[in-house]
Amino acid sequence: MTDEHHVTDVLGEGSPLRLTTDGPLAVLTMDSPPKNLFDAPMWEAWKTALKWLGDHPPRGLLIRAEGTVVSAGVDVEVFRQMSPDDAESFWAEQLAITQALQQLPFPTVFAAHSMTLTAAFELALACDLIVATGSARFGLVERVVGFTPAMGGTQRLAERAGPGRAREAVMTGKLYRATTLERWGVVNEIFELATFQDDAHAYAMELATGPTVAHAATKQVVAHFLAGGTGAADAALPGIAAEVSRSEDHRRSVEAFLTEGPAHRTACHGR
């Protein structure tokens, strides 16, 4: 990993998350040993981090984890202590975390080096891209407590892998290796374990140093497609493309292409 990170003071000492930056790339790290469980402090830290990222947008975000597992998922004590009367508002609040992550206007990469369960997998599915080691395993295993994924994992897995695979994963509660999910179109890239953290960082950094405005436009087009199909995306595309054409990113890249060729390394960073 690069030594250029500096820690922000957004989350405070003792937080289960760390938010650091490396130039244009923000790095959000789950670090709540031994299992990086999702409990009240973890969810609050995610809310705080995503609010800060929305207010101070970097050009890319890498989400990763420390420890032997990415996350063992939701702390089961959450279910024991929750009143049925509070369940709808509680899960609406947690789903809002997933939605906030998905709506960030810059590329987001989730890096899974090992076991990634329930809430963590649901947040991974809200990211633009997922990278993993070949032995990493993923699961929506809520069936073991007679529950269903409540942070949007079912529908986001259906978007990537199809409704049949989503039903299979949730109803069986199986664990799936990253190699399987790569075949399904869920995992985008697999790296070796020995170099995983460096490879994932470099992967995210390449996006963060790319055409910022164009990346945001790509996310908008995909969002329109998911909301209304090709017709909705086609209807929105001319306006989105026009906005990109007015950006400094686009103008600088065109000039660099014409003077240096397609391999130019012009930094893109604004309108």
Side-chain angles (χ1 to χ4, degrees):
M1 290 283 263
T2 177
D3 294 327
E4 296 177 5
H5 286 198
H6 68 268
V7 179
T8 71
D9 59 2
V10 174
L11 295 167
E13 190 172 350
S15 172
L17 291 181
R18 293 199 314 271
L19 180 59
T20 61
T21 60
D22 181 11
L25 180 67
V27 181
L28 189 60
T29 302
M30 289 185 283
D31 190 8
S32 180
K35 297 181 179 180
N36 290 323
L37 289 175
F38 278 74
D39 53 14
M42 179 67 86
W43 274 310
E44 282 302 314
W46 273 92
K47 293 172 194 173
T48 300
L50 290 171
K51 175 66 165 59
W52 188 89
L53 289 164
D55 291 341
H56 307 84
R59 291 174 53 201
L61 172 65
L62 173 65
I63 298 172
R64 58 179 298 277
E66 294 284 359
T68 57
V69 300
V70 174
S71 175
V74 177
D75 185 346
V76 176
E77 284 295 329
V78 169
F79 299 104
R80 172 184 283 175
Q81 297 170 10
M82 186 183 305
S83 164
D85 294 337
D86 297 332
E88 183 173 355
S89 60
F90 176 86
W91 289 113
E93 191 174 342
Q94 310 325 321
L95 177 60
I97 297 173
T98 306
Q99 294 167 329
L101 174 57
Q102 186 167 352
Q103 291 164 7
L104 291 174
F106 44 79
T108 55
V109 177
F110 193 100
H113 65 279
S114 59
M115 186 82 74
T116 306
L117 299 182
T118 70
F121 188 17
E122 294 181 273
L123 289 172
L125 291 165
C127 290
D128 297 314
L129 302 167
I130 300 173
V131 300
T133 64
S135 59
R137 292 187 292 170
F138 298 79
L140 297 173
V141 298
E142 285 85 349
R143 73 183 298 276
V144 299
V145 291
F147 199 57
T148 193
M151 288 182 64
T154 304
Q155 53 268 42
R156 285 166 178 80
L157 184 57
E159 285 176 0
R160 293 177 186 240
R165 290 299 191 188
R167 286 191 292 265
E168 173 193 327
V170 175
M171 290 180 179
T172 66
K174 287 181 180 178
L175 300 181
Y176 296 90
R177 290 195 180 276
T179 48
T180 298
L181 295 187
E182 185 186 35
R183 292 200 308 271
W184 290 8
V186 176
V187 169
N188 297 92
E189 193 85 33
I190 292 179
F191 298 124
E192 294 295 327
L193 178 60
T195 58
F196 179 71
Q197 299 300 344
D198 287 341
D199 289 342
H201 190 94
Y203 185 92
M205 182 62 81
E206 184 174 2
L207 295 170
T209 55
T212 307
V213 177
H215 286 334
T218 298
K219 295 184 68 154
Q220 292 177 46
V221 173
V222 172
H224 282 290
F225 168 77
L226 292 173
T230 302
D234 283 351
L237 183 56
I240 294 171
E243 182 68 19
V244 176
S245 73
R246 289 189 285 267
S247 71
E248 180 185 351
D249 266 10
H250 175 63
R251 291 192 298 272
R252 292 177 64 199
S253 295
V254 168
E255 290 303 315
F257 182 96
L258 292 173
T259 58
E260 302 171 34
H264 70 87
R265 302 296 297 175
T266 301
C268 301
H269 54 77
R271 293 185 177 276

